[in-house]
Coordinates of all heavy atoms in Angstrom, one line a residue:
G1 N 0.8 -1.2 0.0 CA 0.0 -0.1 0.0 C 0.8 1.3 0.0 O 0.2 2.3 0.0
D2 N 2.2 1.2 0.0 CA 3.0 2.4 0.0 C 3.0 3.0 -1.3 O 3.5 2.6 -2.5 CB 4.4 1.9 0.3 CG 5.3 3.1 0.4 OD1 5.2 4.1 -0.1 OD2 6.5 2.8 1.1
R3 N 2.4 4.3 -1.4 CA 2.2 4.9 -2.7 C 3.6 5.2 -3.3 O 3.7 5.1 -4.5 CB 1.5 6.2 -2.4 CG 1.5 7.2 -3.6 CD 0.8 6.6 -4.9 NE -0.6 6.3 -4.7 CZ -1.4 5.7 -5.7 NH1 -0.9 5.4 -6.7 NH2 -2.6 5.5 -5.3
R4 N 4.5 5.5 -2.6 CA 5.9 5.9 -3.1 C 6.4 4.6 -3.7 O 7.0 4.7 -4.8 CB 6.8 6.4 -1.9 CG 8.2 6.8 -2.4 CD 8.8 7.6 -1.3 NE 8.7 7.0 0.0 CZ 9.2 7.6 1.2 NH1 9.6 8.8 1.2 NH2 9.1 7.0 2.3
L5 N 6.3 3.5 -3.2 CA 6.8 2.3 -3.7 C 6.1 2.0 -5.0 O 6.8 1.6 -6.0 CB 6.6 1.1 -2.7 CG 6.9 -0.3 -3.2 CD1 8.4 -0.4 -3.6 CD2 6.5 -1.4 -2.3
R6 N 4.8 2.2 -5.2 CA 4.1 1.9 -6.3 C 4.5 2.8 -7.5 O 4.7 2.4 -8.5 CB 2.6 2.0 -6.0 CG 2.0 0.9 -5.1 CD 0.5 0.8 -5.2 NE -0.3 2.0 -5.0 CZ -0.7 2.4 -3.9 NH1 -0.6 1.6 -2.8 NH2 -1.5 3.5 -3.7
D7 N 4.7 4.1 -7.1 CA 5.1 5.1 -8.1 C 6.4 4.7 -8.6 O 6.7 4.8 -9.9 CB 5.0 6.4 -7.6 CG 3.6 6.8 -7.3 OD1 2.6 6.3 -7.8 OD2 3.4 7.9 -6.6
R8 N 7.4 4.4 -7.7 CA 8.7 4.2 -8.1 C 8.8 3.0 -9.0 O 9.5 2.9 -10.0 CB 9.6 3.9 -6.8 CG 10.3 5.2 -6.3 CD 11.3 4.9 -5.3 NE 11.8 6.0 -4.7 CZ 12.0 6.2 -3.3 NH1 11.6 5.3 -2.5 NH2 12.4 7.4 -2.9
T9 N 8.1 1.9 -8.6 CA 8.2 0.6 -9.4 C 7.8 0.8 -10.8 O 8.3 0.4 -11.8 CB 7.3 -0.4 -8.7 OG1 7.8 -0.6 -7.3 CG2 7.5 -1.8 -9.3
S10 N 6.6 1.6 -11.0 CA 6.1 1.9 -12.3 C 7.1 2.8 -13.1 O 7.3 2.5 -14.2 CB 4.8 2.6 -12.2 OG 3.7 1.8 -11.6
R11 N 7.7 3.7 -12.3 CA 8.6 4.7 -13.1 C 9.8 3.8 -13.5 O 10.3 3.9 -14.6 CB 9.1 5.7 -12.2 CG 10.0 6.7 -12.8 CD 10.7 7.8 -11.9 NE 9.9 7.9 -10.7 CZ 10.5 7.9 -9.5 NH1 11.8 7.7 -9.3 NH2 9.8 8.1 -8.4
F12 N 10.4 2.9 -12.6 CA 11.5 2.2 -13.0 C 11.2 1.1 -14.1 O 12.0 1.1 -15.1 CB 12.1 1.4 -11.8 CG 12.6 2.1 -10.6 CD1 13.0 1.5 -9.4 CD2 12.8 3.5 -10.7 CE1 13.5 2.3 -8.5 CE2 13.3 4.3 -9.6 CZ 13.6 3.6 -8.5
A13 N 10.1 0.6 -14.1 CA 9.7 -0.3 -15.2 C 9.6 0.4 -16.5 O 9.9 -0.2 -17.5 CB 8.3 -1.0 -14.8
D14 N 9.1 1.7 -16.4 CA 8.9 2.4 -17.7 C 10.2 2.9 -18.2 O 10.3 3.2 -19.5 CB 8.0 3.7 -17.5 CG 6.6 3.2 -17.7 OD1 6.3 2.3 -18.4 OD2 5.7 4.0 -17.1
F15 N 11.4 2.7 -17.5 CA 12.6 2.9 -18.2 C 12.9 1.8 -19.2 O 13.7 1.9 -20.0 CB 13.8 2.8 -17.1 CG 13.7 4.1 -16.2 CD1 14.3 3.9 -15.0 CD2 13.2 5.3 -16.6 CE1 14.3 5.0 -14.0 CE2 13.2 6.4 -15.6 CZ 13.8 6.1 -14.4
Y16 N 12.1 0.7 -19.1 CA 12.3 -0.5 -20.0 C 11.1 -0.9 -20.8 O 11.3 -1.8 -21.6 CB 12.8 -1.6 -19.0 CG 14.1 -1.4 -18.5 CD1 14.2 -0.7 -17.2 CD2 15.3 -1.6 -19.2 CE1 15.4 -0.4 -16.7 CE2 16.5 -1.2 -18.6 CZ 16.5 -0.6 -17.4 OH 17.8 -0.3 -16.8
T17 N 10.0 -0.3 -20.7 CA 8.8 -0.6 -21.5 C 8.9 0.3 -22.8 O 8.0 -0.1 -23.7 CB 7.6 -0.3 -20.7 OG1 7.5 1.1 -20.5 CG2 7.3 -1.1 -19.4
G18 N 9.6 1.2 -22.9 CA 9.6 2.2 -23.9 C 8.7 3.3 -23.7 O 8.5 4.2 -24.6
A19 N 8.1 3.4 -22.5 CA 7.0 4.5 -22.3 C 7.8 5.8 -21.9 O 7.1 6.9 -21.9 CB 6.0 4.1 -21.3
D20 N 9.0 5.7 -21.4 CA 9.7 7.0 -20.9 C 10.7 7.4 -21.9 O 11.8 6.8 -21.9 CB 10.3 6.7 -19.5 CG 10.7 8.0 -18.8 OD1 11.1 8.9 -19.5 OD2 10.8 7.9 -17.6
P21 N 10.5 8.4 -22.6 CA 11.5 8.9 -23.6 C 12.9 9.4 -23.0 O 13.9 9.6 -23.7 CB 10.8 10.0 -24.3 CG 9.8 10.6 -23.3 CD 9.4 9.4 -22.5
R22 N 12.8 9.6 -21.6 CA 14.1 10.0 -21.0 C 15.1 8.9 -20.9 O 16.3 9.1 -20.7 CB 13.8 10.6 -19.6 CG 12.9 11.8 -19.5 CD 12.5 12.1 -18.2 NE 11.8 11.0 -17.5 CZ 11.3 11.1 -16.2 NH1 11.7 12.1 -15.5 NH2 10.7 9.9 -15.6
A23 N 14.7 7.7 -21.0 CA 15.5 6.5 -21.0 C 15.1 5.5 -22.0 O 14.4 4.5 -21.8 CB 15.3 5.9 -19.6
P24 N 15.5 5.7 -23.3 CA 15.1 4.9 -24.4 C 15.8 3.6 -24.5 O 16.4 3.3 -25.5 CB 15.4 5.9 -25.6 CG 16.6 6.7 -25.2 CD 16.4 6.9 -23.7
N25 N 15.6 2.8 -23.5 CA 16.4 1.6 -23.4 C 15.7 0.5 -24.4 O 16.4 -0.3 -25.0 CB 16.4 0.9 -22.1 CG 17.2 1.8 -21.1 OD1 18.4 2.0 -21.3 ND2 16.6 2.4 -20.0
Y26 N 14.4 0.5 -24.5 CA 13.7 -0.5 -25.1 C 13.2 -0.1 -26.4 O 12.6 1.0 -26.6 CB 12.5 -0.9 -24.3 CG 11.8 -2.2 -24.8 CD1 12.4 -3.5 -24.8 CD2 10.5 -2.1 -25.3 CE1 11.7 -4.5 -25.3 CE2 9.8 -3.3 -25.7 CZ 10.4 -4.4 -25.7 OH 9.7 -5.6 -26.1
D27 N 13.3 -1.0 -27.5 CA 12.7 -0.7 -28.8 C 11.6 -1.7 -29.0 O 11.8 -2.8 -29.2 CB 13.8 -0.9 -29.9 CG 13.3 -0.6 -31.3 OD1 12.1 -0.5 -31.5 OD2 14.1 -0.3 -32.2
P28 N 10.4 -1.1 -29.0 CA 9.2 -2.1 -29.1 C 9.1 -2.7 -30.5 O 8.4 -3.7 -30.6 CB 8.0 -1.2 -28.7 CG 8.5 0.2 -29.0 CD 10.0 0.2 -28.7
R29 N 9.7 -2.1 -31.4 CA 9.6 -2.6 -32.8 C 10.4 -4.0 -33.0 O 9.9 -4.9 -33.4 CB 10.1 -1.7 -33.8 CG 9.3 -0.3 -33.9 CD 9.9 0.7 -34.9 NE 11.2 1.0 -34.4 CZ 12.4 0.6 -35.0 NH1 12.4 -0.2 -36.0 NH2 13.6 1.0 -34.5
T30 N 11.6 -3.9 -32.3 CA 12.4 -5.1 -32.4 C 12.4 -6.0 -31.1 O 13.0 -7.0 -31.1 CB 13.9 -4.8 -32.7 OG1 14.3 -3.8 -31.7 CG2 14.0 -4.1 -34.1
R31 N 11.7 -5.4 -30.2 CA 11.6 -6.1 -28.9 C 12.9 -6.4 -28.3 O 13.2 -7.5 -27.9 CB 10.7 -7.4 -29.0 CG 9.3 -7.1 -29.6 CD 8.7 -8.3 -30.3 NE 8.1 -9.3 -29.4 CZ 7.9 -10.5 -29.8 NH1 8.1 -10.9 -31.1 NH2 7.4 -11.5 -28.9
V32 N 13.8 -5.5 -28.3 CA 15.1 -5.6 -27.6 C 15.4 -4.4 -26.7 O 14.9 -3.3 -26.8 CB 16.2 -5.7 -28.7 CG1 16.1 -6.8 -29.6 CG2 16.3 -4.3 -29.4
I33 N 16.1 -4.7 -25.6 CA 16.8 -3.6 -24.9 C 18.1 -3.4 -25.5 O 18.9 -4.4 -25.9 CB 16.9 -4.0 -23.4 CG1 15.6 -4.1 -22.7 CG2 17.9 -3.0 -22.7 CD1 15.6 -4.6 -21.3
R34 N 18.3 -2.2 -26.0 CA 19.3 -1.8 -27.0 C 20.7 -2.0 -26.6 O 21.6 -2.1 -27.5 CB 19.0 -0.4 -27.5 CG 17.6 -0.2 -28.1 CD 17.3 1.2 -28.2 NE 18.2 1.9 -29.1 CZ 18.4 3.1 -29.1 NH1 18.1 3.9 -28.0 NH2 19.3 3.7 -30.0
S35 N 21.0 -2.1 -25.3 CA 22.4 -2.4 -24.9 C 22.4 -3.0 -23.6 O 21.3 -3.0 -22.8 CB 23.1 -1.0 -24.8 OG 24.4 -1.2 -24.1
M36 N 23.4 -3.9 -23.2 CA 23.4 -4.5 -21.9 C 23.8 -3.5 -20.9 O 23.7 -3.8 -19.7 CB 24.2 -5.7 -21.9 CG 25.7 -5.5 -21.9 SD 26.5 -7.2 -21.7 CE 26.0 -7.7 -20.1
M37 N 24.4 -2.3 -21.2 CA 24.7 -1.2 -20.3 C 23.6 -0.3 -20.5 O 23.5 0.4 -21.5 CB 26.1 -0.6 -20.6 CG 27.2 -1.5 -20.3 SD 27.7 -1.6 -18.6 CE 28.7 -0.2 -18.5
N38 N 22.8 -0.2 -19.5 CA 21.5 0.6 -19.5 C 21.1 1.1 -18.1 O 21.6 0.8 -17.2 CB 20.4 -0.1 -20.2 CG 20.1 -1.4 -19.5 OD1 19.6 -1.4 -18.4 ND2 20.4 -2.5 -20.1
G39 N 20.0 2.1 -18.2 CA 19.6 2.5 -16.9 C 18.8 3.8 -17.1 O 18.2 4.1 -18.2
S40 N 18.7 4.7 -16.1 CA 17.9 5.8 -16.2 C 18.5 6.9 -17.2 O 17.8 7.8 -17.6 CB 17.8 6.5 -14.8 OG 19.0 6.8 -14.2

């Protein structure tokens, strides 16, 4: 029920779903994370 935990988890996940343009790790067209060195 911790709102901060829920918000953080979604934000961190979106670094990899392709939804956050600030961290373009994931390419949904090719379904790859573009480098093994990645993050925010």
Side-chain angles (χ1 to χ4, degrees):
D2 184 339
R3 170 61 64 182
R4 185 165 47 187
L5 173 65
R6 295 200 301 265
D7 290 347
R8 270 189 187 137
T9 305
S10 293
R11 184 186 343 124
F12 294 174
D14 272 336
F15 294 153
Y16 295 94
T17 64
D20 191 336
R22 300 173 299 178
N25 293 300
Y26 187 68
D27 186 339
R29 297 174 299 105
T30 55
R31 299 154 79 194
V32 299
I33 291 176
R34 300 164 63 212
S35 171
M36 74 172 298
M37 293 281 274
N38 55 69
S40 56

